[in-house]
Amino acid sequence: MHSLDLHDHGTPATHGAPVTLNIDGADVTVPAGTSVMRAAAVAGGAIPKLCATDSLKPFGSCRLCLVEIDGQRGFPASCTTLVAPGMKVKTESEKLEQLRKGVVELYLSDHPEDCKECAAGDRCELHQVAADLGVTEVRYGRDGQSHQKGKVDDSNPYFSFDPSACIVCSRCVRACGEVQGTFALTIDGRGFASKVVASQDEGFLASECVSCGACVESCPTGALTEKSLMRIGQPDKVVKTTCAYCGVGCSFDAEVKGDKVSRMVPSRDGGANRGHACVKGRFSYTYTTHADRITSPMIRKKITDPWQKVTWDEAFQHAASEFKRIQKTYGRNSVGGITSSRCTNEEAYLVQKLIRAALGVNNVDTCARVCHSPTGYGLGQTLGTSAGTQNFDSVQFSDVIVVIGANPTEGHPVFGSRMKRRLREGAKLIVVDPRSIELVSSPHIHADYHLQLKPGTNVALINSIAHVVATEGLIDEAYVAERCEDAAFNKWRAFVSEQRNSPEAMENVTGVPAAMVRGAARLYAKGGNGAIYYGLGVTEHSQGSTMVLGIANLAMATGNIGREGVGVNPLRGQNNVQGSCDMGSFPHELAGYRHISDTVTRELFEKDWGAKIDSEPGLRIPNMFEAALDGTFKGFYVQGEDPAQSDPNTLHVTAALEAMECVIVQDLFLNETAKYAHVFFPGASFIEKDGTFTNAERRISRIRKITEPLGGLADWEATIGFAKALGYEMHYAHPSEIMDEIARLTPTFRNVSYTKLDEVGSIQWPCNDAAPEGTPTMHIGKFVRGKGRFFVTEYVPTEERSSSRFPLLLTTGRILSQYNVGAQTRRTENAVWYDEDRIEIHPHDAENRGINSGDWVGIASRAGETVLRAIVTERVQPGVVYTTFHFPESGANVITTENSDWATNCPEYKVTAVQLTKVGQPSAWQQRFKSENAEQLRLLREAATARKERLA
Amino acid sequence: MNIEHLVTMANDIGNFFTSEAGDAAAPKEVATHITKFWDPRMRSQIIGHSKSGGEGLSPVALTAVGLLVPPVQRD
């Protein structure tokens, strides 16, 4: 079922030369390639249809959209008939009405009579068409054969399939293929026996279906329906908002009844997602009302004390007095905090403002530290700006797509689907990954090259690719001469041309056959528009920044930056990682990536904020933990992050948290960090506040309040309250005023405002007088820094190497149904697909250790030990094991080490030397985690009791 | 702060800039990087370590640390 306010044109838009035709006596001009159906819709008419919708290619099966065309025999289907100059079309006639009524009557004869039971209600397209045509009776009776007793498939937690309402229009099947690219659905049988089935007719849950919901949305009847819609009912309004999961930043039309979301429908005009969604964005928002939500501020003196529920004001006063005490006792720089990549731009901005202005320190950081900080460094140094170069639409114009250390179909699924669509159209694919991700081989997609390198050898590989480009005459000499610094380029060219960087010389290091490297390099350099997409498999290494530099070098050398279809595109992990970085969350820079030592910038902020700003960089997250263990960092304000689960070397992190005297956590749930906290500010979910997120393509999009914050305050309001208690007033009545301040102080945001966002939907920064409508593609004509700069990228092996004691290399990643630390998705129905982290191991390594799938195995590294169940699979290569980190009890980060990127301290999550052994019980850490977790939950329950007593 | 970590970090920065800028220019680049990204207490500590011999610091890192301006504590 479509969005409440969708005007469906029936078939997709095209971009041909103008063609004028006549429809029902009126001239209409549309692009060549447009269907007659769409032309009629553009002209304001509506030809009846059931199998057509403008997100799918025309299919021509329902026979409702018949029209008459002068000079043509019969009654062509308007969805599959293209416009032609001078064509004369009649969409209404007695004969057409007779034909359409006959078709509708046949459909109705095998469709439930009573619509009252159907969640689609009056939005069922079949009943709408019947009403429009005045079909009120079915002449055929209901006693014959029908599908009315078909069994409902209720297996999927989020939607059900009722075959009795299905008209076998194939919209669901086509959506699964064309939009999502999974091809899980099909029409089984022929003629009357035709029916929609998932995979081999095994039910939706057990099938290959990834629950993106494209089928549900495309269904014209109530055959496929969201269970939330059945439960809550038809909406009474639509609120435009943005998903709070990954960095794709999908736009949604939230359909709301009262203050409840009855369903989420991806916006067709969403710049990032173009009407598509994944299981998380469309369905997994139910965590927002989960019983685990903490809705009252709480304080306690020691982390072994029960929580005490207090008023917001009491919480602010307590937190402020503690931070003041700590600063007085241990010095001004003994406090700091983390902005959230899950909260809004405005909230990240306020937290860093509080830390810099109210606390007078620059000890502020954000979760990008542990994911994409090397992107900021690398792209800033080479190109001049710390962000991706393209919009997501750009992939439609790519000829060669290179995916390095990213798994788009799992981590960024909506963009993954768009990428797959382009690949099905014929674009070439190079995958650089130690593991066989889905893109390597999936329905209708096969990577032309899978460079299956050993973990930790990215830089060696990018240098060998660059060697081929430099030594085989594949450099775009004119581009480089015009746009890049000569001296740096020549130095780089000489470096990569050295024989020691050749694919043959590097083969033993990377494990990738030289011939494959040469083939991939030639394809990228000369295959047309070459676009690189990369993820944490690039950045989370000791040479993460070097690899980003290497990627940018390669793109510049081949002329693949500065137009549509090309570029260097970091796939950001969380919804607002880009935004939190933009907002001045790093300890060394203010909003807009301006260094804290720059007096002019600092004075600009000081004047606006009415506070002195320290000119020295502050501590980064790992440095904060080090300083805590050293006794010089004692107060920590964490908004919407969970370093106790997400950061490497858990024992190190938790020891640091324990060494602090006041940890303030602001979150939806009692997360792992909150178990070490002394103050808890209840967070507000994305449906409880206004604000903006900035996605991986620099796109700023609005979130809009649907319901009041369960805890009483939005996160930005809580930060204001805390600042006030510290003695620093912030005066904002609405987040739009915070954005106005950001725009006032940040050149790249100069023309951004809520008014503008309401007008245009979303904006990609820079948005200023030079680019008043934003900047979809960066570096056109010249780089932001002027001339692009090449860097020499010497490969330096990580210190984390396999040994006789730890012979395997562990790498980590994500899965589609869970998200990051799992705090949100674990509190949804998504556990039916993935309810625990598992360790993947190659059959050879498993056999040597007597490990079978499902066995419990101990994973030991020099940092710690944990136990997970095994999956024996050839997705990983021999010598490599892989796990996810969505469940705290897994302790995935108990085994990762504190190795980090040389430039930014981004942890090296992607390489940990480990040994695996079959075991029979959880690790000592897991056993301790279990008991400590139980104790913390008890202390939380006591808070609930205490509150009741107090009220009594 | 764990001085071994600071030494490792300084050496890693030194490795990068030695290949990028060459032996002669590397110390200045390393010093600039550290000044730009390290908190004053980290800089003070590595300066103190270098003054007591700089055990573990590579030659480039040691020279670079020698170029650092001691931070002024505002507390």
Side-chain angles (χ1 to χ4, degrees):
Chain A
M1 192 168 55
H2 289 321
S3 172
L4 204 56
D5 58 358
L6 178 73
H7 177 49
D8 188 353
H9 290 78
T11 63
T14 57
H15 303 284
V19 171
T20 300
L21 70 160
N22 187 285
I23 300 177
D24 295 334
D27 283 349
V28 184
T29 302
V30 292
T34 302
S35 70
V36 169
M37 173 182 280
R38 187 177 180 92
V42 168
I47 299 173
K49 60 183 174 55
L50 283 173
C51 73
T53 181
D54 60 17
S55 60
L56 302 173
K57 291 177 195 163
F59 194 55
S61 81
C62 74
R63 315 312 296 170
L64 262 181
C65 69
L66 309 181
V67 292
E68 294 176 21
I69 299 176
D70 276 9
Q72 289 192 24
R73 291 167 56 194
F75 304 93
S78 63
C79 63
T80 53
T81 304
L82 302 186
V83 297
M87 179 184 265
K88 286 192 175 174
V89 180
K90 195 191 280 184
T91 67
E92 302 288 344
S93 72
E94 197 174 320
K95 183 61 185 170
L96 287 171
E97 186 178 334
Q98 185 190 1
L99 287 168
R100 288 168 183 164
K101 280 183 169 176
V103 170
V104 168
E105 203 178 344
L106 283 167
Y107 275 126
L108 288 174
S109 70
D110 193 3
H111 194 74
E113 260 185 307
D114 188 359
C115 292
K116 288 175 192 161
E117 296 297 316
C118 178
D122 59 7
R123 293 164 77 185
C124 168
E125 291 179 43
L126 175 56
H127 283 105
Q128 283 173 0
V129 168
D132 291 347
L133 290 170
V135 180
T136 55
E137 289 181 8
V138 174
R139 289 168 292 168
Y140 309 109
R142 293 186 164 272
D143 298 333
Q145 260 195 311
S146 78
H147 299 84
Q148 294 308 295
K149 292 189 177 166
K151 192 174 174 215
V152 174
D153 179 355
D154 242 348
S155 59
N156 188 290
Y158 295 117
F159 61 85
S160 69
F161 174 59
D162 178 358
S164 72
C166 178
I167 59 170
V168 201
C169 64
S170 290
R171 268 163 56 165
C172 57
V173 176
R174 289 181 288 142
C176 188
E178 290 178 32
V179 179
Q180 167 57 28
T182 294
F183 299 90
L185 304 183
T186 191
I187 302 294
D188 187 33
R190 306 190 68 172
F192 185 79
S194 300
K195 61 175 182 175
V196 172
V197 299
S199 292
Q200 304 299 309
D201 200 4
E202 53 206 289
F204 274 85
L205 185 62
S207 75
E208 293 147 308
C209 166
V210 293
S211 291
C212 70
C215 58
V216 182
E217 185 183 336
S218 68
C219 181
T221 70
L224 281 159
T225 308
E226 295 92 341
K227 290 180 178 176
S228 59
L229 186 70
M230 296 177 185
R231 201 168 51 244
I232 294 167
Q234 286 290 336
D236 45 46
K237 65 178 173 183
V238 174
V239 180
K240 291 262 183 195
T241 192
T242 304
C243 179
Y245 279 114
C246 78
V248 177
C250 297
S251 299
F252 276 90
D253 296 347
E255 295 190 349
V256 179
K257 183 178 184 184
D259 63 351
K260 290 189 171 61
V261 176
S262 63
R263 64 180 199 137
M264 285 278 192
V265 185
S267 309
R268 291 280 175 97
D269 58 0
N273 56 322
R274 303 289 180 206
H276 191 38
C278 76
V279 60
K280 295 192 286 285
R282 192 191 294 266
F283 296 121
S284 314
Y285 54 86
T286 46
Y287 69 88
T288 57
T289 52
H290 194 274
D292 286 352
R293 281 286 299 273
I294 297 177
T295 56
S296 174
M298 303 187 297
I299 59 173
R300 59 182 174 179
K301 195 168 182 183
K302 301 196 297 289
I303 63 171
T304 49
D305 289 344
W307 284 102
Q308 182 188 350
K309 291 191 178 183
V310 294
T311 64
W312 274 106
D313 197 46
E314 287 168 332
F316 293 145
Q317 293 303 329
H318 177 77
S321 69
E322 279 295 278
F323 267 48
K324 285 179 186 171
R325 177 188 64 77
I326 287 168
Q327 285 191 295
K328 194 174 175 189
T329 309
Y330 300 101
R332 180 174 50 87
N333 260 301
S334 59
V335 298
I338 305 181
T339 73
S340 175
S341 295
R342 296 179 203 164
C343 289
T344 64
N345 283 317
E346 293 76 5
E347 287 161 346
Y349 177 84
L350 282 201
V351 170
Q352 64 89 31
K353 180 175 177 178
L354 178 148
I355 290 167
R356 297 188 201 280
L359 297 174
V361 300
N362 289 321
N363 300 325
V364 57
D365 209 349
T366 190
C367 93
R369 176 66 51 212
V370 298
C371 62
H372 265 291
S373 52
T375 289
Y377 181 82
L379 298 186
Q381 294 288 309
T382 48
L383 313 180
T385 193
S386 301
T389 60
Q390 312 296 122
N391 60 6
F392 287 141
D393 287 346
S394 170
V395 77
Q396 294 166 218
F397 305 99
S398 299
D399 300 307
V400 180
I401 297 170
V402 186
V403 178
I404 309 177
N407 191 356
T409 56
E410 302 275 350
H412 303 85
V414 170
F415 179 66
S417 288
R418 298 186 72 184
M419 187 183 273
K420 283 167 95 173
R421 179 184 282 215
R422 181 61 189 153
L423 292 167
R424 290 197 303 275
E425 289 169 353
K428 303 294 183 187
L429 174 65
I430 300 166
V431 173
V432 181
D433 202 296
R435 189 166 165 267
S436 289
I437 60 171
E438 187 196 341
L439 279 177
V440 170
S441 181
S442 62
H444 304 285
I445 308 284
H446 291 284
D448 298 88
Y449 293 94
H450 177 203
L451 309 184
Q452 196 167 14
L453 76 178
K454 294 175 187 169
T457 64
N458 282 340
V459 174
L461 184 69
I462 204 81
N463 285 347
S464 63
I465 293 172
H467 176 90
V468 177
V469 170
T471 58
E472 292 191 8
L474 305 178
I475 286 174
D476 187 336
E477 302 283 355
Y479 178 96
V480 172
E482 181 193 342
R483 299 196 47 173
C484 302
E485 288 182 7
D486 273 349
F489 167 68
N490 289 330
K491 194 161 67 171
W492 172 83
R493 174 183 237 165
F495 163 73
V496 295
S497 298
E498 291 176 34
Q499 187 56 30
R500 67 193 176 94
N501 285 318
S502 69
E504 291 74 18
M506 284 296 181
E507 187 172 318
N508 279 341
V509 174
T510 63
V512 182
M516 287 186 74
V517 176
R518 287 193 177 272
R522 290 166 192 151
L523 177 61
Y524 171 68
K526 290 296 173 191
N529 283 342
I532 298 175
Y533 294 87
Y534 72 87
L536 305 183
V538 160
T539 55
E540 290 177 344
H541 287 274
S542 61
Q543 280 202 290
S545 291
T546 313
M547 182 61 180
V548 176
L549 296 170
I551 287 172
N553 286 339
L554 191 64
M556 287 191 291
T558 52
N560 276 315
I561 299 180
R563 62 181 187 279
E564 279 192 311
V566 299
V568 176
N569 305 283
L571 294 173
R572 300 277 188 162
Q574 300 198 61
N575 53 315
N576 201 35
V577 174
Q578 180 68 56
S580 66
C581 297
D582 301 340
M583 293 298 101
S585 295
F586 288 134
H588 65 281
E589 55 195 13
L590 291 157
Y593 303 99
R594 288 163 295 170
H595 201 270
I596 200 80
S597 64
D598 178 52
T599 307
V600 174
T601 303
R602 217 173 48 252
E603 284 178 356
L604 181 73
F605 280 84
E606 286 176 342
K607 192 174 169 193
D608 203 276
W609 292 357
K612 191 80 182 157
I613 301 172
D614 195 342
S615 61
E616 290 278 13
L619 293 167
R620 300 178 280 200
I621 294 172
N623 311 145
M624 292 181 199
F625 295 143
E626 289 271 329
L629 290 168
D630 206 31
T632 61
F633 188 82
K634 294 285 186 180
F636 194 33
Y637 172 30
V638 186
Q639 183 180 75
E641 292 296 338
D642 192 4
Q645 186 183 341
S646 64
D647 285 27
N649 197 346
T650 304
L651 292 173
H652 177 78
V653 173
T654 53
L657 291 169
E658 281 184 298
M660 296 180 196
E661 294 184 5
C662 184
V663 175
I664 305 167
V665 168
Q666 186 170 2
D667 209 283
L668 303 180
F669 306 105
L670 191 82
N671 63 20
E672 298 312 304
T673 307
K675 291 167 186 169
Y676 296 86
H678 308 83
V679 179
F680 189 94
F681 295 159
S685 77
F686 76 110
I687 65 169
E688 296 160 24
K689 58 191 180 185
D690 286 295
T692 57
F693 293 151
T694 305
N695 75 352
E697 41 165 14
R698 296 169 279 104
R699 184 182 301 280
I700 307 160
S701 303
R702 280 293 313 276
I703 61 166
R704 293 178 173 85
K705 185 156 90 171
I706 293 169
T707 184
E708 291 300 318
L710 294 187
L713 294 181
D715 297 314
W716 61 275
E717 293 173 304
T719 302
I720 290 171
F722 181 32
K724 186 177 179 184
L726 285 166
Y728 183 79
E729 297 270 359
M730 296 182 185
H731 301 286
Y732 309 102
H734 189 269
S736 62
E737 295 173 10
I738 307 171
M739 180 54 81
D740 291 343
E741 179 176 315
I742 294 164
R744 191 166 67 236
L745 296 171
T746 313
T748 46
F749 277 65
R750 184 76 75 217
N751 287 12
V752 179
S753 69
Y754 278 33
T755 306
K756 177 110 186 155
L757 285 166
D758 287 344
E759 282 169 18
V760 300
S762 62
I763 301 168
Q764 287 177 267
W765 66 259
C767 176
N768 46 31
D769 291 343
E773 301 305 314
T775 311
T777 306
M778 294 199 78
H779 313 296
I780 295 174
K782 71 170 190 175
F783 291 102
V784 169
R785 75 183 298 278
K787 295 269 188 182
R789 182 176 167 190
F790 283 78
F791 280 79
V792 170
T793 53
E794 187 79 55
Y795 168 60
V796 180
T798 173
E799 292 295 313
E800 190 68 15
R801 295 169 209 175
S802 55
S803 62
S804 55
R805 190 173 166 212
F806 301 117
L808 302 170
L809 290 179
L810 168 75
T811 188
T812 59
R814 297 171 187 219
I815 196 159
L816 171 67
S817 56
Q818 297 289 347
Y819 173 71
N820 202 267
V821 294
Q824 294 147 283
T825 45
R826 281 186 279 111
R827 293 176 171 95
T828 68
E829 304 283 346
N830 289 15
V832 300
W833 292 286
Y834 198 72
D835 61 357
E836 63 179 2
D837 295 312
R838 296 193 176 200
I839 183 100
E840 291 185 1
I841 181 170
H842 189 272
H844 291 174
D845 295 321
E847 189 177 350
N848 288 343
R849 291 163 176 78
I851 294 170
N852 294 305
S853 281
D855 286 349
W856 291 103
V857 293
I859 308 147
S861 75
R862 64 180 171 83
E865 186 169 358
T866 195
V867 172
L868 297 173
R869 280 204 285 166
I871 297 176
V872 179
T873 172
E874 291 185 348
R875 279 195 294 267
V876 289
Q877 56 183 298
V880 176
V881 293
Y882 165 90
T883 189
T884 52
F885 56 95
H886 302 301
F887 294 83
E889 62 272 24
S890 301
N893 280 320
V894 172
I895 42 181
T896 53
T897 70
E898 68 284 353
N899 268 14
S900 68
D901 172 50
W902 66 269
T904 65
N905 272 164
C906 180
E908 190 171 46
Y909 291 102
K910 300 298 182 187
V911 192
T912 306
V914 296
Q915 175 61 297
L916 266 61
T917 47
K918 200 168 168 178
V919 297
Q921 63 178 11
S923 71
W925 179 87
Q926 284 169 312
Q927 291 177 41
R928 195 168 66 248
F929 173 86
K930 192 176 176 185
S931 64
E932 289 175 355
N933 184 52
E935 172 62 8
Q936 285 297 326
L937 293 178
R938 186 186 70 77
L939 297 174
L940 181 64
R941 282 194 301 275
E942 281 195 22
T945 312
R947 179 67 169 176
K948 276 181 198 163
E949 284 168 1
R950 198 170 151 183
L951 288 172
Chain B
M1 308 282 276
N2 183 326
I3 192 62
E4 285 178 18
H5 287 171
L6 296 183
V7 167
T8 301
M9 286 162 63
N11 288 345
D12 288 348
I13 297 165
N15 279 339
F16 176 80
F17 284 109
T18 299
S19 60
E20 161 55 29
D23 290 341
K28 191 179 170 205
E29 296 283 348
V30 174
T32 301
H33 185 94
I34 289 175
T35 304
K36 206 170 166 186
F37 296 105
W38 284 27
D39 159 80
R41 83 192 75 176
M42 295 162 69
R43 299 199 322 258
S44 295
Q45 203 170 342
I46 199 80
I47 291 169
H49 180 68
S50 76
K51 284 182 178 167
S52 59
E55 186 184 348
L57 282 170
S58 68
V60 167
L62 188 61
T63 310
V65 173
L67 298 175
L68 293 177
V69 177
V72 178
Q73 295 294 336
R74 271 180 52 200
D75 278 322

